[in-house]
């Protein structure tokens, strides 16, 4: 299906972590399809030393994209999605200075993955992660010291565009010759009396038998002095 331009209204609720003060704001978002479609190559990084609100500003996203370009080796990167790790089942960090909730950042590009990223997401790297070791990659320092990437949570996706189904073909609205509408044949009348009698008489017969049985038990089976 094709996404057309539309308006989306979102009610955003936020609270202060220190005072627990809550505010609400209505946000109107204009949804438009991407000019070139969805990027076929997408990578999702888990940033362990950030909260989600720290990566929402444009300046922070540009800094992250600059660090990502060093490992991806592409210059057409852009942010697709930013999600808090708490929404993915992460634990709330302890109230200790420096602890962050973590953020998943999905980045897209039209260029393929670099050997460094492919190595970090390889089965050998997954096996090393299961042993508590770092994956096989040599591109960790490009994000330091601003971002701490959890490389064992790296996800690489290749998204291929789905074929669009052809739409309906509209005709002129005039029936062709010999294409007159043929109504269905008439249904012969049915005799509904037997079914009605069965539905009505069977419950009455059962009720009469129960009444006779109850009367027999109450009148003929009484015991007394």
């Amino acid at each position: 299906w094709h996404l057309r331009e539309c308006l989306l209204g979102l009610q955003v609720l936020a609270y202060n972590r220190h005072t627990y003060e809550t505010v609400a704001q209505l946000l109107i978002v204009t949804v438009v399809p991407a000019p070139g479609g969805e990027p076929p190559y997408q990578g999702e990084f888990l940033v362990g030393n950030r909260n989600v609100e720290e990566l929402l500003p444009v300046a922070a996203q540009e800094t992250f994209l600059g660090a990502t370009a060093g490992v991806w080796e592409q210059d057409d990167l852009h942010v697709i999605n930013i999600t808090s790790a708490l929404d993915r089942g992460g634990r709330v960090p302890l109230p200790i200075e420096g602890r962050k909730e973590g953020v998943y950042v999905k980045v897209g590009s039209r260029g393929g993955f670099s050997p460094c990223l492919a190595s970090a997401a390889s089965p050998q790297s997954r096996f090393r992660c299961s042993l508590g070791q770092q994956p096989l990659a040599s591109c960790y320092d490009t994000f330091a010291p601003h971002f701490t990437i959890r490389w064992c949570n790296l996800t690489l996706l290749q998204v291929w565009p789905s074929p669009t189904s052809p739409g309906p073909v509209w005709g002129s609205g005039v029936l062709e010759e010999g294409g007159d509408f043929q109504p269905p044949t008439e249904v012969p009348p049915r005799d509904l009396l037997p079914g009605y009698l069965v539905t009505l008489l069977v419950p009455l017969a059962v009720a009469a038998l129960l009444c006779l049985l109850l009367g027999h038990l109450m009148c003929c089976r009484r015991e007394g002095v």
Side-chain angles (χ1 to χ4, degrees), residues 15-49:
Y15 74 96
N16 191 307
R17 295 172 182 259
H18 304 286
T19 62
Y20 297 99
E21 181 183 0
T22 305
V23 295
Q25 183 177 0
L26 182 62
L27 180 64
I28 305 298
V29 181
T30 302
V31 181
V32 295
E38 192 174 9
Y41 297 93
Q42 301 178 7
E44 190 173 56
F45 302 84
L46 175 57
V47 185
N49 64 334

Side-chain angles (χ1 to χ4, degrees), residues 96-126:
I96 302 176
E97 185 178 359
R99 297 292 182 91
K100 303 292 183 177
E101 62 188 27
V103 184
Y104 283 93
V105 182
K106 181 179 288 187
V107 180
S109 173
R110 299 198 172 278
F113 302 115
S114 64
C116 177
L117 291 179
S119 176
S122 63
Q124 294 80 3
S125 295
R126 300 300 184 192

